[in-house]
Amino acid sequence: MNMCVIKKDELNRFLAAILETHRLFAPVREGAGSLYRTVERPEDVCLDFLRPLRSAKEIFFPQNEVLFYFNQRTQKSVEPAKDDRPAVLFGVTPCDLAGIAAQDRLFTGGAYQDAYYQRKRSNTVIVGMACPEPGPTCFCNAFGIDRFASALADLMFIPLDDVYLINVNTEAGAKLVTSLAEASPADLERLEVLKNRETGFTMEIPDLETLSRALADEFDADFWDDISQRCIGCAACAYVCPTCHCFDITDETAGDLGRRVRTWDGCMASRFTMHASGHNPRTRGGQRMRQRILHKFSYFMENQGCLSCTGCGRCIDLCPVGMDLREILRRIAGDVLQPAPGEK
Amino acid sequence: MNRWQDDLRKIAARLLDNREVALVIGWGEGAIPGRTIPVFIDKPEDAALLVVNSRCENNLSVYIPRMKERGRLAIVAKPCDLRTIVSLIQEKQVAREDLHIISFACSGIEDHATGKRRPECVHCKVNTPPVYDTLIGGEAPIWQEEPSAVDAIEEFKKAPPERRWEMFQAEMAKCIRCYACRNACPMCYCDECFVERSLPRWIGEGIELTDTMIFHITRALHAAGRCGECGACSRACPMGVNLGILAVKINEDIEKLYHDKAGMDPDKPPAFSTFRPDDYNDFIK
C-alpha cells in the first residue's frame, strides 16, 4: 500500500483523534524506563527509550488475568466485565512486533485457540515504530527482523528528523490515517539513506536455523550444566521476554467464593516443574537452562514454525548476574556446529 | 586498582595451585562493556580472568551453598558481601574453615547503567572488611561525587508511618514477582520459600498489590537481623524497585533495639537467634 507522512509535533493530535474512538496502549514513562500501558492523555506517550522495559505481550497476555469468578456452593461462575471497545497499540518496536507474531501463532494458530488472548488481540490495531539505531544488547539481525517494516503492523511509523513516515499495511490501519498527506519522493529518499546507514550490532550470532536443527540431538549434551552455572534461577528473563508464554492457573478462594487466575510462570525457577506427588523432573539448573534454550530455539520451531526469540536483548540487559543469551548461543554453536577433530 | 587485581590473580592462582581450594568465586568481565559477571575459576591459569574494580556489583556469597559441594572455596568479597558470608557461617550454612575469604576496603560500587554510586553504598557504614583470610589493596578509593539530592532511603527513614506506607506501596506496584531479589540474596537460602508452597497456599501467584506486599514484608522480616545491607536485592531487580528503603530502616531499628549489627562476628549468634534479658520487649503489653 501507500506511504504517508506526519510531522512529529502533530503526533499528539493524531493520538488524541484515536482516543476519541479507541482505547490506546503505548509506551509510558515508568521509573528509569517505559512500559506499555493504557494511555489517557497523548502527552503521556514516551518514545524516549530504545524499547520499553517489558515487552508488548502483556497487552494481550497480561501477567495477572482473572478468567472467572465462582461460587463453590452454587456451582455458578461469572466472567469479569471486559472492555471490548476497539483499541490501538501504538509505538511497538520491531522486536516486539515479531514477539506478537510468535504469540499469535501459539494462541490463535492451529493447535490452541486461546479465547482470552484472541478477544483482546482481534479488536486491536497495531502501530509499529521503526528502530533506526539498535542498542548494545540487541541482536534482532540474527532473526532477519526488518527494523523498518513489518507485515504484522497495521501501520508502521518510521522516525525521520522532524517527521514520521507511515507505511500503511492494512485497511484497518488506513482508516486511522485518512487525513494525512502522502510522503514525497524526497521523504522516500531520506528513508533510503536511513535504511542504508551502518548499524551497531555488536556481536556475531551463529545461523539460528542451522543451530535449531542441530539442537534436536543435543538433549544429553555436556554443556547445559556449564552454561547455567551462574544463573540464580529467577524469572526476570522470562517476564521481560516478548515470546515467553508459559503460565500457571490457580484458584484463589475465600470461603465459598473464589476466582480462577492465570499468571505468568518462568522455567528457570526450580519449582516450575514440581509435580503434585513431590517429584521434580528438573532438579538441576542445567536441566532448566536446557529447557529454556531448546524451547526457544528448537521445540517452538518444530511446533510453530518460527523461533521463540526476537533478539530484543531485554533478558541480557536485565539479568541480575549478567547472563548473555548471545554468548550462550555462540558457545553452543561452537560445540555443536563445529566438525569434530578429524571430521570434515 | 590494577595492583589490587594483580595481587588477586596471584593469590587465586596460588590457592588453586597448592590445592588449598577447589574453586575461586570472583568477578570477571562480561560481554557487555562495564558489566562484570560472576566467574568460577578452577584452574590456576584461568585466574587471569579475575577483575577487581568499582563495577564488581554481584554479591558472590549467594553461590556458596550450591558450590560448597565442590570442596573448599575461595571467595572474593566486598565488606558488605562479607557480612552475608559471616551470617551464613553463623547460621551453619558453611564452615569458616571451608572458606578462604579474599577482601578489600571498598567505598562503594557504581551502577553499571548510570555510572553513579549505588544508593545502598551511599548509606554503607562498613567499608573495611570485618573478617578475611587475605586482604588485597590499600585504602579504599574516594568517591568524588556528592550524594544525590533525592535520597529515597533517607526520606523513608525520616517519614511518618503514613508516608512510609505510601512510599512502600509505590515501590511494590512496580514488582513483577520474578523473585530476582530473593534469588540474588545470600540470606534467602531456604530450600522451599513460603511463596511457593501450595498446601496451604500462603499468597496468590500474581501481581495483586496485597500479594506482592505480603511477599516483600515477609522476606524483609525473615531477613531482619541477618541482612548485610549489600543491596544485591535492589541491584537484581529488573524493574528498579528500591528494596533498600525497607532493609536499611529495619536494620537501623535492630541496631537500636537489640544492639546488634548483622554479619560482623562469626562467633556471635544473630540477634533473633538468641535471647538476652535486656532485649527490647516494649511490644509485650
Side-chain angles (χ1 to χ4, degrees):
Chain A
M1 284 196 191
N2 62 329
M3 199 175 239
C4 52
V5 63
I6 183 172
K7 286 210 175 89
K8 279 189 180 169
D9 54 19
E10 282 169 7
L11 180 65
N12 281 359
R13 220 162 58 199
F14 173 77
L15 294 174
I18 289 177
L19 272 167
E20 281 173 22
T21 47
H22 293 73
R23 293 174 295 148
L24 178 63
F25 308 108
V28 170
R29 184 178 283 277
E30 179 72 54
S34 65
L35 290 171
Y36 293 99
R37 285 274 164 90
T38 305
V39 175
E40 309 284 350
R41 301 175 311 168
E43 58 269 31
D44 291 340
V45 173
C46 170
L47 302 170
D48 299 346
F49 298 97
L50 174 69
R51 44 173 151 64
L53 287 169
R54 296 196 297 266
S55 82
K57 77 176 173 195
E58 62 195 49
I59 300 300
F60 308 125
F61 172 47
Q63 178 165 11
N64 219 33
E65 185 168 29
V66 178
L67 305 182
F68 54 82
Y69 297 91
F70 57 82
N71 183 324
Q72 299 189 87
R73 196 171 44 81
T74 62
Q75 297 283 304
K76 293 229 163 73
S77 71
V78 55
E79 287 200 29
K82 289 197 173 107
D83 193 343
D84 278 338
R85 283 177 301 147
V88 170
L89 171 55
F90 176 82
V92 187
T93 59
C95 46
D96 282 353
L97 291 170
I100 294 171
Q103 301 277 42
D104 281 355
R105 284 183 190 237
L106 181 82
F107 286 124
T108 70
Y112 312 102
Q113 303 287 326
D114 189 289
Y116 302 97
Y117 182 94
Q118 270 176 328
R119 184 161 177 174
K120 292 186 272 291
R121 177 71 179 89
S122 62
N123 63 357
T124 303
V125 178
I126 294 182
V127 183
M129 181 63 67
C131 176
E133 194 65 56
T137 53
C138 294
F139 63 112
C140 67
N141 55 330
F143 301 84
I145 290 173
D146 187 337
R147 291 177 294 113
F148 297 93
S150 164
L152 185 113
D154 296 282
L155 295 174
M156 188 74 178
F157 274 51
I158 305 158
L160 205 64
D161 302 328
D162 57 335
V163 300
Y164 291 107
L165 294 187
I166 305 171
N167 230 329
V168 184
N169 289 332
T170 65
E171 281 301 326
K175 282 186 193 150
L176 297 177
V177 294
T178 45
S179 62
L180 299 182
E182 279 213 21
S184 69
D187 290 333
L188 299 179
E189 228 166 82
R190 285 198 294 167
L191 173 60
E192 283 313 305
V193 174
L194 181 68
K195 277 184 180 173
N196 293 326
R197 213 169 52 173
E198 286 274 318
T199 53
F201 291 106
T202 49
M203 216 190 274
E204 204 174 308
I205 309 293
D207 182 66
L208 295 177
E209 294 212 10
T210 314
L211 184 66
S212 175
R213 283 190 293 275
L215 277 174
D217 300 323
E218 299 299 333
F219 192 82
D220 295 318
D222 298 328
F223 50 70
W224 300 117
D225 282 329
D226 193 32
I227 57 176
S228 69
Q229 245 191 142
R230 72 174 188 271
C231 173
I232 53 173
C234 72
C237 50
Y239 288 2
V240 299
C241 176
T243 59
C244 274
H245 49 261
C246 288
F247 58 80
D248 197 3
I249 292 180
T250 46
D251 286 351
E252 295 175 2
T253 52
D256 284 334
L257 301 179
R259 55 184 192 177
R260 183 156 295 176
V261 189
R262 164 153 93 172
T263 48
W264 291 351
D265 209 343
C267 59
M268 298 313 285
S270 60
R271 305 181 83 78
F272 178 71
T273 45
M274 180 59 96
H275 294 180
S277 65
H279 171 66
N280 189 347
R282 293 184 206 139
T283 50
R284 292 198 324 276
Q287 296 167 320
R288 300 190 281 272
M289 181 61 74
R290 172 177 67 197
Q291 171 61 24
R292 181 164 180 82
I293 301 295
L294 289 183
H295 192 184
K296 288 194 165 303
F297 297 96
S298 176
Y299 309 151
F300 203 80
M301 179 63 112
E302 208 179 305
N303 297 331
Q304 307 293 341
C306 71
L307 296 163
S308 181
C309 173
T310 71
C312 75
R314 286 183 179 93
C315 59
I316 306 170
D317 269 342
L318 297 172
C319 174
V321 291
M323 298 285 290
D324 190 327
L325 184 53
R326 298 168 302 177
E327 281 193 305
I328 292 173
L329 292 171
R330 283 160 60 103
R331 161 75 209 276
I332 295 174
D335 274 23
V336 308
L337 297 184
Q338 301 295 327
E343 282 179 35
K344 265 268 158 98
Chain B
M1 275 313 222
N2 269 343
R3 192 172 57 75
W4 299 29
Q5 197 163 286
D6 292 343
D7 287 352
L8 169 64
R9 291 173 181 181
K10 272 184 222 145
I11 292 154
R14 198 193 65 215
L15 289 170
L16 288 164
D17 213 20
N18 297 345
R19 300 184 193 278
E20 286 180 57
V21 300
L23 190 71
V24 179
I25 308 176
W27 303 282
E29 292 294 350
I32 307 167
R35 173 69 161 103
T36 65
I37 55 169
V39 292
F40 308 97
I41 308 288
D42 56 7
K43 292 193 259 324
E45 59 270 29
D46 290 344
L49 297 171
L50 292 166
V51 301
V52 180
N53 55 46
S54 59
R55 295 176 285 104
C56 292
E57 64 171 75
N58 289 99
N59 181 344
L60 305 171
S61 57
V62 73
Y63 294 110
I64 291 176
R66 82 183 75 165
M67 292 293 179
K68 65 183 178 188
E69 64 186 32
R70 293 175 66 167
R72 189 162 185 262
L73 303 172
I75 182 161
V76 196
K78 304 183 287 294
C80 56
D81 306 340
L82 251 174
R83 291 178 62 192
T84 59
I85 296 178
V86 168
S87 291
L88 288 171
I89 295 168
Q90 289 174 330
E91 295 177 13
K92 314 252 183 291
Q93 295 306 304
V94 64
R96 175 70 186 88
E97 58 272 21
D98 289 340
L99 291 178
H100 185 105
I101 302 169
I102 305 168
S103 191
F104 48 89
C106 170
S107 58
I109 49 165
E110 63 190 80
D111 188 301
H112 69 262
T114 64
K116 289 211 167 107
R117 185 149 63 145
R118 291 279 317 174
E120 59 271 19
C121 299
V122 176
H123 287 267
C124 174
K125 295 171 211 85
V126 183
N127 57 7
T128 53
V131 187
Y132 56 82
D133 296 290
T134 308
L135 190 70
I136 54 169
E139 297 271 306
I142 307 292
W143 278 83
Q144 299 299 330
E145 39 109 19
E146 293 292 308
S148 80
V150 189
D151 184 336
I153 292 176
E154 206 52 46
E155 193 192 337
F156 187 79
K157 270 162 41 181
K158 289 182 186 148
E162 302 75 38
R163 174 71 190 128
R164 286 211 297 268
W165 183 237
E166 273 172 29
M167 287 177 75
F168 176 62
Q169 284 188 311
E171 290 302 319
M172 292 300 102
K174 300 182 212 162
C175 173
I176 54 170
R177 293 278 298 275
C178 68
Y179 302 134
C181 51
R182 180 195 68 182
N183 292 19
C185 176
M187 301 320 297
C188 272
Y189 58 75
C190 292
D191 279 341
E192 186 179 25
C193 180
F194 81 102
V195 297
E196 279 142 0
R197 292 211 54 143
S198 50
L199 283 171
R201 189 176 291 283
W202 290 66
I203 56 174
E205 292 286 316
I207 47 166
E208 290 263 331
L209 194 56
T210 49
D211 289 328
T212 303
M213 290 196 299
I214 289 170
F215 161 57
H216 286 283
I217 291 170
T218 309
R219 202 182 85 83
L221 291 175
H222 197 179
R226 311 161 62 232
C227 164
E229 302 174 89
C230 68
C233 50
S234 288
R235 292 194 295 276
C237 181
M239 294 296 120
V241 177
N242 187 348
L243 294 159
I245 56 172
L246 205 52
V248 172
K249 174 77 175 102
I250 290 178
N251 287 335
E252 285 201 0
D253 288 350
I254 301 251
E255 245 185 286
K256 212 158 59 196
L257 302 174
Y258 299 95
H259 316 291
D260 188 55
K261 197 175 182 67
M264 298 300 283
D265 181 354
D267 298 321
K268 224 175 111 190
F272 286 168
S273 304
T274 186
F275 173 77
R276 283 191 305 257
D278 62 336
D279 273 350
Y280 170 77
N281 59 10
D282 285 5
F283 53 87
I284 303 171
K285 301 287 178 201

